[in-house]
Amino acid sequence: MGGTNKNGKVKPPLSRNKQKKAPHLWKKNKDRVAAAKKLQAAAAQEEKAKQQEQEQLSSDEKAAHVPIVFIKPQPDSDAASGEDPMEAMDAEELEEEAAEPVVPSVEPAPTDIPDPKLSPSKIKMLRPLIGYIYNGDQMSLKQSFEQAGLFLTPDYNEKTRVFRFMVDLKEVCRAVGEKNEAHSVAREKLVQIVRYYCYTVKRVKEYHTRRKIFYTRPPKVAPKVKGQEQEDVKITEDNVGFQMLQKQGWNPGTALGVSTTDGILEPIVAKKRKGKRGLGVEDAEAAAPPTEKVTIPIEAFYLLLKQYAGVNALYDLVFSSQFSRHQVAKLKGFALSLKLLPQMIGQNKKKLVVSRNLTIRQIKEGVMKGHSDLCAKYVVIPPVAGTPETDKVVP
C-alpha cells in the first residue's frame, strides 16, 4: 500500500517481502493514506461550503436589488365610501403596474452652507453617502453612513477637549470644548459636510396611502336604481288616519275638502324614510338599515399583507385605531416575517403603518425617476457642491 510524500507525489506500495520484513513501514504507509484521504475529504467539504456561500450571497444581492414597481393609484373617493378593504384591494388591483411618471420632487440646493474644504480623497470617500432627513430638519447620521457602507465613529479626548468624527478612521471634522457642547458643534459641521457634498433625501410626510384599513365596516346597502320611484301604497281601513278622516265626514271614493269634486280623491300617503315612521307606513322601521357593523376576521388582513408584499407596492398600508393591542402585535409580527417595515405613528402611537423596507438609495432613485408614491412622501435635495451631469433633471 502506497502513500504521499511531502511534495504531494504518490509513493508506490511496498512489496510483500518488505512488508513482511518491516511491518512498521507498512503500518506507517497505511496511516499516511488514511490521513491523505481525510485531507482530501476536508478540502472537498470546504470547497462545497464556499460555493454555497457564494450562491447565498448572489441570491441576497439579487433580492436587495428588487426593481421598483408601482401600483396604479385609485381615486380617493373609495377611501371615504367605507368599503371592505379586502374587496377594495382585490387581486386585479394588486397586479404589478408601472405608475405614470410625474415631475420629480427635487428641491433646490441650499445656499447658506459654507464650503467645508475637504481634501479630494475624503470627498471621494463620501461620494456613495446619501443623507436622510426626517421630522423637519433632523438628519439620521447613523442610518445614512451605515447604508453607505462607511464606518462613522465619534472620538473625544479628555485632555485636549477635542471632539472628532472619524469616517473609516479618517478625521472629517472636529470641535473643541466640553464633551456635550463639542459633540453638538461637531455634529452640525458633519451635517453641513453631508449636505454640501452628497444628496439628501427628506421625508415630508409620515405616510402616503391609498386607503385606510378598518377592522369593521358598515353593512352593504342595496344600490338605488335611477328613475325607479317608490310605489305609493294606499292606506287601508285599519289605518288610524283613514279612521280619522271618516270621522270628519269623508267617505271612501269621494274627494277631500269643501268641494267633493275639486279635492284629491285619495289621502296623502307618507313616503318611507330610513329609521323614521310616517303615517300609513307600518314597515318603516323594518326598512331602516341595521346599525351593527360587520367585523372582518384577522386572517383577511394577513392575506392583505401577503398580497401587498407580493406586488412590491410602495405606498403605505395604514391600519385604523380600531385594532386592539393583541391584534396589532400579530399584524406587526406577520409583517416582519414578510420583510416589511411596521411602525406605530399618530397620537399616542396607536396607528399601525406598514411600509416597504426601502434603502435610502432606492428612495432617491425612485424620486428622481418621478414615481408618484415616493414623490408624495419624499423630496430629494441635490448637493451644494453641484449636481452630477447624470442626475440633472431636464424640465
Side-chain angles (χ1 to χ4, degrees), residues 272-313:
K272 292 185 179 180
R273 295 183 179 180
K274 295 181 179 180
K276 295 183 179 180
R277 178 182 292 275
L279 292 176
V281 182
E282 285 78 9
D283 57 344
E285 291 183 355
T291 57
E292 296 182 359
K293 293 184 177 181
V294 179
T295 303
I296 305 171
I298 193 69
E299 289 77 13
F301 300 104
Y302 292 161
L303 178 61
L304 177 65
L305 289 172
K306 193 172 182 180
Q307 291 175 343
Y308 172 78
V311 297
N312 209 6

Side-chain angles (χ1 to χ4, degrees), residues 68-71 208 308 312-316 356 358 373-374:
I68 298 179
V69 180
F70 291 84
I71 297 177
H208 167 68
Y308 172 78
N312 209 6
L314 294 179
Y315 61 87
D316 302 323
R356 171 69 52 181
L358 298 177
D373 287 317
L374 292 183

Side-chain angles (χ1 to χ4, degrees), residues 182-225:
H183 174 268
S184 300
V185 175
R187 190 183 189 282
E188 184 63 27
K189 289 183 179 180
L190 184 58
V191 169
Q192 291 184 358
I193 290 172
V194 173
R195 300 191 69 175
Y196 191 88
Y197 293 108
C198 307
Y199 274 96
T200 306
V201 172
K202 183 178 180 180
R203 190 185 70 185
V204 294
K205 291 175 61 178
E206 285 190 333
Y207 61 86
H208 167 68
T209 187
R210 306 269 176 80
R211 56 177 59 85
K212 295 183 180 180
I213 300 171
F214 298 91
Y215 181 58
T216 60
R217 63 172 176 82
K220 289 185 177 180
V221 180
K224 294 182 180 180
V225 180

Side-chain angles (χ1 to χ4, degrees), residues 4 11 25 39 45 77 90 100 108-109 120 125 145 158 195 203 209-210 213 242 249 265 291 311 315 329 340 356 387:
T4 57
K11 292 182 178 181
L25 295 177
L39 289 175
Q45 290 181 356
S77 58
D90 55 8
E100 296 181 359
M125 177 182 63
F145 279 87
E158 296 287 349
R195 300 191 69 175
R203 190 185 70 185
T209 187
R210 306 269 176 80
I213 300 171
F242 189 93
L265 296 177
T291 57
V311 297
Y315 61 87
L340 298 175
R356 171 69 52 181
T387 305

